[in-house]
Amino acid sequence: MQSSNGRARGGGGGPDRSVEDHAGQDSAPAEASTDVQYDDPWYDALASGWGESVADNTFDAAVAEPRPERVGGAEADVYLEVQRSAAFQEVRTRYRRFVIPAVAVFFSWYVGYVVTATIAPGFMARPVAGAVNVAMLAGLGQFLSTFLLTWGYARHARLRRDRAALELRWDTQELARGARGGAS
C-alpha cells in the first residue's frame, strides 16, 4: 500500500523497527534534490556552501582560494586609504566613546553583584518587601541593565554612527569599483 507521496507505508511493529519509525518518521531515506533553485535575489550559493558544489557536495578548492587579483594591488590600497581617512577614524572614535565606558560600567556592576553575593550573603539575604530580598532586586537589576545597555547602544549607533558609516561604506565601494576598472 502506498501513501499520498508515493512511498510505501510502513506496517507492523516488530522488534526490528528503528527508533525513528517510532518517532513518527518514515524509514525511507530522504531523496536529496540537486537542482534546487532559489528565487531570492540575495541568495548567494558560495556563501551558503562555503566552496562546496551544490550538485555533488564536494569541496571545490578553486572556489575557496583567494583570487590573486584581489589579494593585493589597487583594491587593497583603497581599503588602507579608507582606514586612514578622517571619516573612518571619526566613526571608530564615536564607537569607542560609547563602548569602552559602557563595558567598564557593566562589567563593574556584574562583578560587584557576584562579589557582594559571595562575601556578604547576609546583606544579600536582607528582606526588602515580603519575600523579596536584596539579591532578588540586584539580580533583576542585572537583567534590566542588560536591556538598557542594548537599547542605549542601538540608540547611540542610530544617532551618532550609522549615517557616517553608511556614507563611508558607499564611498569605499565607489573607490573599490574605480580601482577594479569600473567593473561591478
Side-chain angles (χ1 to χ4, degrees):
M1 185 174 218
Q2 289 188 343
S3 65
S4 61
N5 64 4
R7 294 188 201 163
R9 287 189 179 159
D16 58 339
R17 290 189 61 169
S18 67
V19 175
E20 288 83 18
D21 289 340
H22 292 292
Q25 298 176 354
D26 200 347
S27 62
E31 298 173 11
S33 175
T34 59
D35 56 359
V36 176
Q37 289 186 334
Y38 294 94
D39 294 328
D40 185 5
W42 296 101
Y43 175 75
D44 184 6
L46 287 179
S48 66
W50 287 90
E52 296 173 342
S53 172
V54 176
D56 58 359
N57 290 335
T58 59
F59 183 74
D60 186 6
V63 175
E65 293 178 6
R67 289 181 266 176
E69 69 269 4
R70 294 187 126 190
V71 172
E75 193 170 341
D77 292 339
V78 167
Y79 289 106
L80 289 173
E81 177 185 337
V82 168
Q83 185 180 9
R84 293 179 189 122
S85 71
F88 182 82
Q89 296 304 321
E90 180 63 25
V91 170
R92 295 299 296 168
T93 301
R94 289 179 184 178
Y95 171 78
R96 289 183 184 123
R97 266 191 232 147
F98 180 85
V99 169
I100 292 173
V103 167
V105 168
F106 186 78
F107 187 70
S108 300
W109 160 231
Y110 175 74
V111 169
Y113 171 73
V114 171
V115 168
T116 304
T118 303
I119 63 172
F123 171 72
M124 296 298 265
R126 184 175 294 160
V128 174
V132 178
N133 60 19
V134 173
M136 288 181 175
L137 290 179
L140 290 173
Q142 290 287 317
F143 285 105
L144 179 63
S145 64
T146 301
F147 290 118
L148 286 174
L149 182 62
T150 304
W151 171 80
Y153 177 81
R155 183 174 186 274
H156 181 268
R158 185 182 71 245
L159 295 177
R160 308 218 191 256
R161 290 191 328 264
D162 285 352
R163 181 165 306 194
L166 285 174
E167 289 173 4
L168 189 61
R169 178 187 287 174
W170 181 261
D171 293 342
T172 304
Q173 289 175 351
E174 290 297 318
L175 289 171
R177 189 173 292 124
R180 285 188 298 236
S184 52

